[in-house]
Amino acid sequence: MKRLLDTLYAFVTVAVVLACWEAIVRLAQIHRQILPGPIVIAQTLWSVRAPLLRHTMVTMMRTAIGFASGIAFGVVLGVALVYWSWLNEALQPLLTALYCLPKSVVVPIFLLWTGLGTPPAVLTAISLAFFPILTNVIAGLLSIHSDFIDVLRLSGAQKGQILWKVGLPNTLPYLFAAFKTAGPSALVGVTISEMIAASNGLGYVIVLSGSVFNVPLMFASIVCLMLIGIMLYGLAAIFERRYAHWAFRGTTI
Amino acid sequence: MRLGNQLGRIFLSLSFFVFLAILWEITARGLKIPTPILPPISGVLHYLIHFLPTMLSDVFITLYRALLGLGLGTILGLFLGFVLGYSSYFYKSFYPLLIAFYSIPKQALVPLIVLWTTFGTTPAIVTALITSFFPILVNTTTGILILDPDLVALAKIYGATKWRLFVKISIPYSMPYFFAALRVAGVGAIVGATLSEMIAAQNGVGHKVLMASVKFQTLELFSYVLLIGIVSVFLYWLLTVCDRYIVWWAYRGQERL
């Protein structure tokens, strides 16, 4: 019942905000090239649905590739950094520096090396999605209960065996939690790159529609991006609840 | 942590940077990679030192835009975070909108901001504001909402009103979350400012980087990337120091480990 009420609240707020938006646009007679109302945006979405869907698919594909590669790199490097702690100490400052480096200024370098379109988008997505995965994998591996390690050491387990048998399962909840940040980050990377270095994808459509003052199309593309973002976050949340629910057992009981 | 240990660590990481630089130099020169693709680092450093004054003027322009946006975003994010944390009605109503906005890559709004606020400095500031606003808002709200129930119970036993509880307990306890978000927001503000400069500006690092890339001026491109990278690391470090000194009590447990 309480949950139903909360959902109701949410729907009412969204509806009120959309209605106010439409009302303001109509009453103040704001031109659609400055701020289109929700109805105009919905009409635009419908009328250009075929090409928009194509660009959305392109962006989604790039995000998926970047996200998946980011996970792979993050997990491999995270495990390596925990396994060889000297490597961690050597790489830590470099990783901090790379984390701080604004990814927007790196896009031109990717553009220079790999040309337009998918390669720079995927590389930018990896460079953003990689960090939350890495930090969470390291945090997960380091948070193994010390009793477990003692027991395994007493039974003669190697360092690699401890990491594989206890570290990895222990890390899964952390990893799945990182998906919720890494997925949207990959989308940000793809969008940035598409705005600067692509001839298709939603980022490109947004910049293009801006330069020809087609604001309704711009809003329609932003809505598509938002839907991808919500989908990524939602999928990660569902995935987390399904496959890491055992980690939260304690909190629900 | 013993001093010798710490010195060893610094030495290790420094030598790794030197190793990378040497590797870069050897790759670029040894494989005879043409400068328009990968210039040797010696060339980049030479360019950097030679043109530092002109480059710094662009860096300061970008930094001014990013920091002004960050400042405004912080004020706005903190204020709204407090409102959402204080009133569960506001929280319930605005949370879905927040999630919707949070899911849009804020960087995608740059062309729209450019249309609304013309060219150059204003869109860069607004973009930096928007990119830094959301992490701060989300973290401040989270920090207030996941308050230890024992503390709340204790305050209530002592007869604290909702407002006093909020000011004396909720706000201080949300500060570690706020400062953690501030570090992320600092980097985000520079991304926002540079991206806006790439799309609509005649100066600033973003504009210069894109122009250098289009003209295959890799020496200029890498110098600017290196310089803004150093500035970002410095900003991040500064915000980390703020974090450690202002909410030092949040790290008490970790220091002893």
Side-chain angles (χ1 to χ4, degrees):
Chain A
M1 186 61 208
K2 194 173 171 298
R3 222 176 136 179
L4 199 74
L5 207 67
D6 283 356
T7 327
L8 199 69
Y9 256 140
F11 269 106
V12 168
T13 326
V14 172
V16 166
V17 168
L18 286 180
C20 285
W21 179 358
E22 186 68 38
I24 291 170
V25 167
R26 276 173 194 255
L27 289 177
Q29 292 183 324
I30 299 172
H31 198 274
R32 50 155 55 184
Q33 278 183 7
I34 305 289
L35 178 69
I39 293 176
V40 173
I41 296 171
Q43 281 167 349
T44 313
L45 262 174
W46 182 249
S47 62
V48 293
R49 61 188 180 279
L52 207 55
L53 191 68
R54 210 172 55 235
H55 287 289
T56 308
M57 293 313 280
V58 168
T59 301
M60 269 167 77
M61 184 200 61
R62 288 170 180 162
T63 309
I65 299 174
F67 186 26
S69 326
I71 295 170
F73 278 119
V75 169
V76 168
L77 193 63
V79 172
L81 290 188
V82 173
Y83 193 83
W84 295 291
S85 58
W86 60 270
L87 192 67
N88 187 20
E89 283 171 16
L91 279 178
Q92 208 58 57
L94 180 73
L95 286 172
T96 312
L98 284 181
Y99 172 76
C100 296
L101 187 67
K103 302 304 173 296
S104 44
V105 299
V106 187
V107 177
I109 297 182
F110 290 152
L111 167 66
L112 202 67
W113 284 348
T114 60
L116 282 178
T118 304
V122 168
L123 286 174
T124 318
I126 293 174
S127 71
L128 275 166
F130 161 78
F131 283 101
I133 303 278
L134 178 70
T135 35
N136 271 30
V137 165
I138 291 177
L141 286 176
L142 289 182
S143 72
I144 306 173
H145 204 290
S146 53
D147 289 352
F148 285 148
I149 300 179
D150 289 343
V151 168
L152 283 174
R153 279 229 186 96
L154 279 177
S155 12
Q158 303 290 315
K159 200 175 173 187
Q161 283 175 313
I162 297 178
L163 274 184
W164 178 251
K165 301 248 169 175
V166 183
L168 228 53
N170 195 59
T171 308
L172 283 184
Y174 288 82
L175 183 64
F176 294 155
F179 285 180
K180 286 193 287 193
T181 337
S185 297
L187 183 62
V188 169
V190 170
T191 313
I192 293 181
S193 178
E194 281 176 351
M195 290 168 83
I196 301 164
S199 52
N200 52 7
L202 289 171
Y204 166 76
V205 176
I206 290 172
V207 171
L208 185 72
S209 55
S211 58
V212 298
F213 290 97
N214 191 342
V215 182
L217 178 60
M218 198 195 286
F219 269 95
S221 323
I222 290 173
V223 169
C224 290
L225 268 182
M226 185 174 79
L227 292 179
I228 299 179
I230 292 176
M231 195 189 70
L232 276 172
Y233 185 87
L235 279 180
I238 292 170
F239 194 75
E240 184 184 19
R241 221 174 306 152
R242 257 188 94 93
Y243 294 104
H245 57 95
W246 48 268
F248 305 109
R249 266 183 313 207
T251 53
T252 49
I253 292 168
Chain B
M1 181 85 48
R2 257 180 279 124
L3 188 67
N5 240 341
Q6 198 135 17
L7 278 179
R9 259 171 59 168
I10 292 170
F11 178 73
L12 191 63
S13 47
L14 269 184
S15 55
F16 192 74
F17 272 100
V18 173
F19 167 73
L20 272 187
I22 293 172
L23 195 69
W24 179 350
E25 187 74 25
I26 290 174
T27 318
R29 287 196 189 277
L31 299 178
K32 295 209 167 57
I33 296 174
T35 307
I37 295 187
L38 183 72
I41 186 152
S42 55
V44 174
L45 289 177
H46 184 255
Y47 185 97
L48 188 68
I49 292 164
H50 202 249
F51 289 96
L52 196 59
T54 28
M55 291 174 70
L56 274 182
S57 71
D58 275 298
V59 169
F60 283 133
I61 290 172
T62 302
L63 207 57
Y64 161 73
R65 292 165 176 166
L67 289 182
L68 196 56
L70 177 65
L72 294 172
T74 306
I75 295 169
L76 216 64
L78 260 183
F79 175 72
L80 220 68
F82 287 158
V83 171
L84 288 187
Y86 185 73
S87 152
S88 66
Y89 172 73
F90 269 107
Y91 179 78
K92 271 184 214 153
S93 326
F94 284 98
Y95 193 68
L97 276 182
L98 206 71
I99 288 291
F101 269 110
Y102 199 65
S103 318
I104 304 175
K106 256 64 68 184
Q107 291 79 1
L109 301 177
V110 173
L112 190 67
I113 296 167
V114 170
L115 275 185
W116 283 348
T117 61
T118 70
F119 198 79
T121 302
T122 329
I125 292 174
V126 176
T127 313
L129 190 162
I130 291 178
T131 41
S132 52
F133 163 75
F134 277 95
I136 289 179
L137 171 63
V138 169
N139 257 32
T140 309
T141 315
T142 313
I144 291 176
L145 288 180
I146 63 171
L147 196 60
D148 186 356
D150 288 350
L151 274 173
V152 179
L154 183 71
K156 279 193 179 147
I157 288 170
Y158 279 102
T161 56
K162 193 186 176 193
W163 174 251
R164 266 190 83 76
L165 176 79
F166 185 71
V167 172
K168 293 275 172 186
I169 295 179
S170 303
I171 289 185
Y173 270 87
S174 67
M175 283 300 108
Y177 290 86
F178 161 70
F179 278 103
L182 191 59
R183 297 194 294 188
V184 178
V187 179
I190 293 186
V191 172
T194 47
L195 187 70
S196 171
E197 286 168 354
M198 284 183 182
I199 290 163
Q202 294 285 24
N203 49 15
V205 175
H207 173 74
K208 286 289 156 70
V209 161
L210 193 61
M211 284 300 115
S213 150
V214 171
K215 289 184 289 186
F216 288 92
Q217 302 282 352
T218 42
L219 283 175
E220 192 183 350
L221 171 62
F222 277 90
S223 307
Y224 269 111
V225 171
L226 209 60
L227 202 57
I228 196 72
I230 293 169
V231 169
S232 305
V233 170
F234 182 70
L235 179 66
Y236 186 79
W237 173 80
L238 211 64
L239 294 174
T240 310
V241 170
C242 280
D243 182 15
R244 290 271 158 166
Y245 273 88
I246 298 174
V247 290
W248 52 270
W249 45 269
Y251 295 100
R252 262 180 316 200
Q254 292 169 25
E255 294 296 312
R256 236 175 287 143
L257 286 176

